[in-house]
Amino acid sequence: MTDALAELPERTRIAFTMYRLEGCTLQQVGDRLGVSVVRAHQLVKDAILHAARRLDGTDG
């Protein structure tokens, strides 16, 4: 999981860390990154999908 997170773009990694590990809301993530709540959600989703693919061995 650590390797999968390290492969992410910085903004995506920050969004995931804030939301899933620190318990921040999507609004808080968006505010910190200067993006909308919808974009914050997409960044978190991208991180989760990437990690799932890496853990399954199907990404790259």
Side-chain angles (χ1 to χ4, degrees):
M1 183 67 164
T2 302
D3 290 342
L5 289 177
E7 296 168 353
L8 294 170
E10 181 180 14
R11 194 164 69 158
T12 305
R13 185 172 54 253
I14 290 169
F16 176 83
T17 301
M18 287 182 68
Y19 185 71
R20 296 295 291 223
L21 304 180
E22 297 173 7
C24 295
T25 65
L26 289 172
Q27 182 67 57
Q28 291 169 319
V29 173
D31 289 347
R32 161 94 187 277
L33 298 176
V35 299
S36 68
V37 171
V38 172
R39 182 64 182 136
H41 181 265
Q42 185 64 50
L43 291 169
V44 172
K45 180 180 170 186
D46 289 349
I48 292 168
L49 291 175
H50 175 73
R53 285 191 300 265
R54 285 283 278 120
L55 293 173
D56 286 344
T58 58
D59 189 35

